Amino acid sequence: MKKLLLPLFIAALFQGRGESAAPEPTQALSLPGIISEVKTANPSLAAARQQLGLLEAGVVINSAYPNPSIEIDKSASSVFDGYEIKAVQPVPLTRRAGMAGAAARASYEAAQKELEALETIIFSSARKAWYSLRIAKERRNFEETNFRFSMDILNKIEMRLQTGEAGNADLARAKVETSRSGYHLQEAETTLRTAAGELNTLMGRRPDAPVAVSENGGFSLAPVVPVLEPLEKYTELALARRFELRALALNGKAADLVLTLEKDKRLPVPEFGLIRGSDGGTSYSRLFLGLELPLWYNNNGEVKRALANKAALNYEGQRLELEIRREVYNSWLELGLTQKRLAAARDTVFLLNDLRRVAAQDYLSGKIDLTAFYETNRVFLEENVNYLEALKDYYEKTAQLEVAVNSGEEK
């Protein structure tokens, strides 16, 4: 019976919602719609895609075979009449162009995985912003209801003052509490606008642009909290799914190819060509063989740099695995704590179902004084706000764990 009453209570608690809210756009965005908008218009993702285009062009550049060269020599003397044309084609002894192209392609594919990792993080931020906006609306509606309740109590005390049933102290206290309720309403309105601004920014809009979210799409004031799996399961999923690890593996492949490529550059590059010319009216043709000898510089600097890059990537792999394990561990712990907080806050809210209403009736009937009523009112307000904060924390920590294991929920 308790599970049935809680949603009904929460629905009653936030009755009258939206009565004084500002007009909103007619098209309300669901969570999938917001994710789609973020994917299309988020500036950080757009910039990352442009950088990806640069790496894609690098694949074409590095895959190109060496161009041939042509030299023309024409005598300018009136005594000697002749010319010479030399066409030369470098022919590397190794598959240098193919290896360079493969290294560039591996770097491009690694950047694709890094882009997917960035998408996961930004989509998670959008989910958090969406939940924050939904809960901020609930908080604003709650404060509206509380402000109207405070005004109602103030009006009744003013009437009791005229009949001598209340004193000036009661009236002053009621005015203070009403003023405080008005401030909390303004505070909730500011929080709502801030949450809307955060969501707009992620969608590539001005923060003050109008935004409306649908009333469904995975949000509930009384969510069914699933049981957490063992930590090892989440860690295993993260190490298998995280795009950062896939990107690192591809960067390692590119580093191996670059190292081999730099070592191969120590080998001489033959140049084959054909020379055709004329000397004193006599034409001639001959083959040409050239060879670039790496006598003064054996590409040592490039090889050393490639070795250092490969070693750095090995250490980066160790660091990244530890970082992922830490993220999963912290997210798992925090979500477990948040679930317990939400359950405790839910039980407290349930117990406070009729507490303020009964206290108000007791005051008006003379059973308790105004101080006792406002103490009950304070507990009522604090615990309901605490429940909304616990709810927001629960949704955020759930999204955080989903990002840590790359569950794919954001996509």
Side-chain angles (χ1 to χ4, degrees):
M1 185 64 182
K2 182 176 180 179
K3 293 182 178 179
L4 293 175
L5 285 175
L6 179 61
L8 295 176
F9 161 65
I10 294 176
L13 180 63
F14 297 118
Q15 62 184 347
R17 56 204 294 172
E19 291 180 9
S20 61
E24 293 181 329
T26 55
Q27 184 179 3
L29 291 173
S30 63
L31 181 55
I34 286 172
I35 296 299
S36 177
E37 186 77 15
V38 169
K39 186 173 185 179
T40 302
N42 182 267
S44 296
L45 291 179
R49 292 188 189 102
Q50 292 301 317
Q51 291 297 321
L52 195 62
L54 295 177
L55 292 175
E56 188 177 15
V59 176
V60 178
I61 295 171
N62 285 279
S63 300
Y65 198 76
N67 287 318
S69 62
I70 295 179
E71 297 180 11
I72 300 177
D73 183 13
K74 178 71 171 68
S75 174
S77 172
S78 58
V79 179
F80 300 100
D81 182 20
Y83 70 90
E84 187 174 86
I85 300 175
K86 180 169 65 174
V88 180
Q89 172 64 58
V91 183
L93 297 176
T94 59
R95 297 178 63 251
R96 186 174 299 181
M99 192 172 300
R105 189 173 298 105
S107 296
Y108 169 71
E109 292 172 355
Q112 285 182 312
K113 297 303 178 184
E114 290 169 356
L115 174 59
E116 291 183 82
L118 179 62
E119 285 181 342
T120 300
I121 293 172
I122 291 180
F123 292 163
S124 176
S125 297
R127 287 191 67 194
K128 292 179 181 179
W130 184 79
Y131 286 127
S132 294
L133 181 58
R134 289 298 310 275
I135 292 172
K137 289 182 68 176
E138 300 296 341
R139 173 71 183 276
R140 193 265 315 271
N141 295 331
F142 172 73
E143 296 297 350
E144 285 178 344
T145 302
N146 181 60
F147 181 71
R148 289 195 296 270
F149 181 84
S150 298
M151 289 295 299
D152 183 59
I153 291 294
L154 176 61
N155 292 334
K156 289 178 179 178
I157 289 176
E158 288 176 341
M159 294 174 60
R160 287 167 61 85
L161 182 66
Q162 296 175 3
T163 61
E165 297 178 82
N168 290 326
D170 286 359
L171 180 62
R173 177 64 186 275
K175 288 182 177 179
V176 169
E177 294 295 337
T178 303
S179 176
R180 185 176 297 169
S181 297
Y183 168 75
H184 287 317
L185 175 57
Q186 184 61 43
E187 184 181 43
E189 182 65 32
T190 301
T191 301
L192 176 60
R193 293 184 179 182
T194 301
E198 178 68 19
L199 190 58
N200 272 325
T201 301
L202 288 167
M203 292 190 291
R205 304 176 180 180
R206 288 177 44 174
D208 57 341
V211 60
V213 294
S214 62
E215 297 298 323
N216 50 23
F219 176 80
S220 171
L221 281 171
V224 177
V225 178
V227 178
L228 276 177
E229 299 286 347
L231 172 63
E232 292 75 15
K233 179 174 181 180
Y234 293 110
T235 303
E236 182 182 353
L237 288 174
L239 294 176
R241 292 175 175 177
R242 288 285 289 263
F243 292 119
E244 295 93 332
L245 289 172
R246 301 181 196 179
L248 185 63
L250 288 166
N251 280 325
K253 177 182 176 181
D256 289 336
L257 290 169
V258 168
L259 177 60
T260 304
L261 180 65
E262 297 299 345
K263 289 181 178 180
D264 287 347
K265 287 182 181 179
R266 291 173 168 176
L267 300 174
V269 179
E271 295 180 343
F272 294 97
L274 173 66
I275 298 176
R276 183 172 180 80
S278 174
D279 186 10
T282 303
S283 299
Y284 61 89
S285 298
R286 64 178 184 266
L287 295 177
F288 169 78
L289 173 62
L291 196 65
E292 178 188 354
L293 299 177
L295 295 178
W296 317 122
Y297 183 62
N298 201 25
N299 214 40
N300 291 327
E302 285 78 0
V303 171
K304 185 176 181 179
R305 181 175 59 189
L307 286 169
N309 182 48
K310 183 178 178 180
L313 287 174
N314 290 333
Y315 284 110
E316 175 64 15
Q318 299 175 27
R319 185 205 67 80
L320 183 57
E321 180 177 340
L322 286 175
E323 177 66 17
I324 289 174
R325 289 180 179 274
R326 183 193 66 82
E327 289 179 8
V328 174
Y329 179 64
N330 289 348
S331 300
W332 182 76
L333 286 177
E334 291 171 359
L335 180 55
L337 181 62
T338 299
Q339 288 181 344
K340 290 180 174 62
R341 178 191 177 189
L342 182 63
R346 179 181 298 179
D347 291 340
T348 302
V349 167
F350 179 81
L351 294 174
L352 290 170
N353 189 352
D354 295 322
L355 187 60
R356 182 169 67 167
R357 180 181 57 81
V358 172
Q361 292 174 351
D362 288 346
Y363 166 70
L364 294 174
S365 63
K367 295 181 181 179
I368 61 174
D369 59 18
L370 189 61
T371 300
F373 162 72
Y374 275 124
E375 176 62 21
T376 302
N377 186 63
R378 180 188 64 80
V379 174
F380 173 85
L381 297 176
E382 287 180 356
E383 293 304 325
N384 277 278
V385 170
N386 178 60
Y387 179 78
L388 287 177
E389 290 176 350
L391 190 65
K392 178 175 179 289
D393 200 29
Y394 164 73
Y395 279 118
E396 288 185 349
K397 298 305 182 185
T398 299
Q400 183 174 308
L401 182 59
E402 288 171 351
V403 169
V405 301
N406 191 25
S407 65
E409 291 295 326
E410 285 74 25
K411 299 183 181 181

